[in-house]
Each structure stands twice: as structure tokens, then as C-alpha cells.
Amino acid sequence: MARYDRAITVFSPDGHLFQVEYALEAVRKGNAAVGVRGTDNVVLGVEKKSTAKLQDSRSVRKIVNLDNHIALACAGLKADARVLINRARVECQSHRLTVEDPVTVEYITRYIAGLQQKYTQSGGVRPFGLSTLIVGFDPYTGTPSLYQTDPSGTFSAWKANATGRNSNSIREFLEKNYKEVSGHETIKLAIRALLEVVESGGKNIEVAVMTKEEGLRQLEEAEIDAIVAEIEAEKAAAEAAKKAPPKET
Amino acid sequence: MKLDTSGLESFSTLTAPGDDVAGEFSAPPSFQLPNSNDFDGFVKEAIQMVKPAKGTTTLAFIFKHGVIVAADSRASMGGYISSQSVKKIIEINPYMLGTMAGGAADCQFWHRNLGIKCRLHELANKRRISVTGASKLLANILYSYRGMGLSVGTMIAGWDETGPGLYYVDSEGGRLKGNRFSVGSGSPYAYGVLDSGYRYDLSVEEAVELGRRAIYHATFRDGASGGVVSVYHVGPEGWKKWTGDDVGDLHYQYYPVVPSTVEQEMAEATGA
């Protein structure tokens, strides 16, 4: 088995591409990232490891713009992310130049996934070690979208999804609790999902909201703390309500 | 240096990654340079040789109910009329038309190529390409062949999500958006009739008649235009061909022969 994982271009006898699977492992070790699609907005949330005291936190933004109406968050190797993001940004502008139209979310996702796939079928290179969550609004229809790509180059659209560390538990939570909501409720749902695996607090979460009118807006630490407090209060109220009924029988 | 036949061949195998920053942006196509000491002079001569050949009249205009596209059908090689039945309005797809002026082969080939690119765009993106996008694709291709002797003066007309669209694209690489255009050697005459008869709120029948009359008058005065007038209308459902009248017939329709009154009949000379 060890012989089949050295070069990317080699299939193993039972049909695996080991390099791609190892890339997925790298993703599983990365920071948790969650995306939730609402009816009028899309929210991205990323786990933030506590920044060192001397580090300028503004230079480690994990949720980035690809264009005015498209944003991306990823889990995995951050250096690979930089390269992929730059290529995607160039493609967004190139598309505007050749057809005088902004890209649709599906188009740029297809482009990024195509790029990731190229590196699973070439000699002497390794795959990109990251999965991305791409959100945005289509320029003419105005519908919000959320897509996910992974190192193998597949992509699909989601109502809500998570990637990175403990993504399975976050996804389970989302499957149980997802409802088509809008505005503030979408943000709360995304943060609640992230809090399943992250220690609470605005210091450890980075959240950004994409709306049709404003584009991407990063939430301030204070805002996040306020919402976390709201969530905690709701949880406490739910606990109390559970304890109450037995007293009345 | 190779000709851009990317529209014709099937999907090529993957190139090595990390080529250039722009990634999928294909390299501009190019011709082999001719063996000549005076390249600039040669190019100028080539262009001069081709220039007079835009012997044609085509026009298009946007009005309330869509776009009217009209053209003659004469092909000339200098003083020789090579054909009276050339199709100068090219159907790119069911909702977009292109007109031909300049080199017939150039126009036909690049319009076909544009049709292929539009269809591929539709398949990849699950929605039709806009007139803006289609005209830009063509203009970018023509710009990359600038100075190499292509002769194309075309108008791309169509109806897309934003309504009717009309663009003029030429082989110099220019691309203009507008409401009324006429291209070819007969265009000054066509403009005269078109501009004076144009109103935004024409009915479809009136607009078709205006297009037909404008082309007829151009064929009357311009020797390089003639044959048959074709008029198409592009509406929200796509294009539809309206007329295909011979300009000779049209002439007698517009100016019927009036038998002149004879003042004095010529009598047979009698003897003396």
C-alpha cells in the first residue's frame, strides 16, 4: 500500500488516490468553518485560534472576498488557500472583461473545483490541501448560494455545511436544527453550530455576513459576543422550561 | 504561431498547471508573418486590397418592439458582380443575428465560431449568453487579429434578459453599442432614409417597411449593393424573417411606371 501513495498520478489496486485522501486528512486537521444559507443572506463562520499578543489580527482574515458579491472561507493549508484565492480573484475579473458580466457563484465554484482537480491529475505536483466554502449572490437572479469544494475537485451546493475540525458533529447539529431563516436568525444559527466545537467567545470565532445590498460584512468582536450571550440566554431558558413541566403534574 | 481553432476541436488534454498567473486565459491566436523586407508596407497594401470590398449595405436599429436587421444580397469583386443572392444576415442562434460586411469568408467563419462559443457558454452556465457578452467575445477575437488583414464589419443584434441589444463590431477591434447602425458602401444612403423615417414607437410592420425602404434606396444609388432585400425582426421570442424582396420589383412598387400622356401622336408620313 505504501508504494501507491508517493506519486499523485498512481491509482492503488483498490481504486484509491491516496494523495487526495491524505489531502482530505489535512483538511480535517484545519480550523472548523461553517456556512449557512438564509433566504436573504448567507453567513460564514470560522474558528479562530487565539492570536498571539504581538500579532496584528487584521492580517489573518480567514473569510475573504473574491469579488463584490462572492466570499470564501476555507479549512486546511492556509498557504495553498492564498494561491487558490488569487487565481479565483483573477478569474472573476477576467470573466467581467470577456463577457461584461460578474461571475455567478456556480461559475467561480466550478473554476476553483476545476483547478483543484487539475492538481490531482498532473505529474510532480500535490493536490491543494483545503476545502472551501463559497458564498454569494447571483448577479441577475439575486438568489443566495452556498457551495463547497474539496481537494478531489468535486463541488456541490448546500443549504448549510461545515468543514475542517469536527465538521461531522457540526453537520449533525445543522441537520437537526436547520430551518430556512433570514437576517439575524441565520447569523445565530451559524454561531450556534460553531459553538458546538469551539470554546465560546468572540475571541475564538470570526463571522461574516453576505447580503445582496451590502456585500460582505465582517462582524465585530463585540457583536459576536452579544449574539453568543443571546444564545446562552436562550439555552438557559430552554433548560429552565424543561425542568418546569414536571412540577405542575 | 497558430490559428485559433479552439472552437472547432474537441476538448484538449490538460496542460501542465502553474503555467501563468492568468491560468485558463488562452494565449492570443496569431498568424505566421509574411517573408517581406517592408512588413508595414506589405500590411498596408494588403489592407488597401481588401478595403473596397465592403461593397454592401446592411443596417439594424432598435425600436419599441425589438430590433430590425436588414441587408442586401450582392457580392462584388471590383466591377464584377459575383452573386446576387448572398445571405448577409447570419443566424448565430435562435435569438441572435449577425450581419456580414467586408470579407464574406471572414464574416461567415467568425460568426459560426461565435455561434459555437455562445452554445458552449449556454451549456456550461445553464443560461443564454447576453448580446453584450457575445459581441465582446467576437470583438476580443477580432482585436487579436488586428492588422493581419481580416475584413469584418458586423452588427450583432439580439434579445436577451435585459431586452433588445445591438452592437457594431469591426476588424479594427472596435465595438460600439448603439440604437441605429448601417454598415457598408451603401450605408450613407441607407442612413439618410433610416434617420429621417425613424421613430422609437414604430409598429413592427412600419419598422420592417422602413428597413426595406432604406436598403432599397441604398441599392438604387450604390453600385456595389443590390439583389434581394432581407429584413429580419428580433423579438422576445427570437428572430423571424419578414421579407426577401428583389430590389428591381421594389423599384416599380415604389415608383410605378406612369404611362406618359402623348400630346401629339406621330402620324405616318404621307408621300411628300
Side-chain angles (χ1 to χ4, degrees), chain A residues 204-217:
Chain A
N204 301 321
I205 306 179
E206 188 179 313
V207 179
V209 191
M210 165 81 75
T211 46
K212 191 152 164 245
E213 300 77 33
E214 287 177 15
L216 190 69
R217 183 173 73 91

Side-chain angles (χ1 to χ4, degrees), chain B residues 54 99-101 107 110-111 114 131-143 151-157 166-178 181 183:
Chain B
K54 280 194 193 160
T99 59
M100 184 198 298
C107 290
W110 288 112
H111 278 124
L114 179 64
V131 183
T132 313
S135 60
K136 193 113 197 211
L137 284 178
L138 182 63
N140 286 340
I141 293 172
L142 293 178
Y143 181 79
S151 170
V152 172
T154 182
M155 295 178 284
I156 305 289
L166 178 61
Y167 284 84
Y168 165 73
V169 179
D170 70 20
S171 45
E172 308 296 300
R175 174 175 166 268
L176 299 170
K177 183 172 154 82
F181 285 113
V183 183

Side-chain angles (χ1 to χ4, degrees), chain A residues 37-146:
Chain A
R37 185 185 82 191
T39 52
D40 64 352
N41 62 1
V42 209
V43 180
L44 281 173
V46 182
E47 174 192 1
K48 207 167 52 171
K49 295 237 177 64
S50 48
T51 46
K53 278 208 192 118
L54 295 172
Q55 194 178 52
D56 187 346
S57 55
R58 284 171 307 169
S59 68
V60 269
R61 282 260 170 263
K62 301 207 169 152
I63 303 174
V64 294
N65 257 328
L66 294 182
D67 201 343
N68 296 336
H69 61 300
I70 313 245
L72 174 148
C74 54
L77 270 50
K78 290 297 182 255
D80 288 1
R82 218 176 46 236
V83 170
L84 209 53
I85 289 168
N86 280 337
R87 299 277 276 270
R89 282 173 172 165
V90 170
E91 179 60 23
C92 285
Q93 297 311 308
S94 173
H95 187 272
R96 277 181 189 263
L97 179 65
T98 47
V99 288
E100 280 194 17
D101 244 350
V103 292
T104 57
V105 191
E106 201 251 340
Y107 177 92
I108 196 64
T109 308
R110 204 165 1 109
Y111 176 79
I112 291 177
L115 214 46
Q116 286 179 297
Q117 191 277 342
K118 226 188 258 206
Y119 283 67
T120 67
Q121 209 177 6
S122 311
V125 295
R126 63 163 177 80
F128 286 99
L130 65 145
S131 293
T132 67
L133 287 171
I134 300 167
V135 301
F137 283 84
D138 276 346
Y140 285 114
T141 56
T143 49
S145 317
L146 165 67

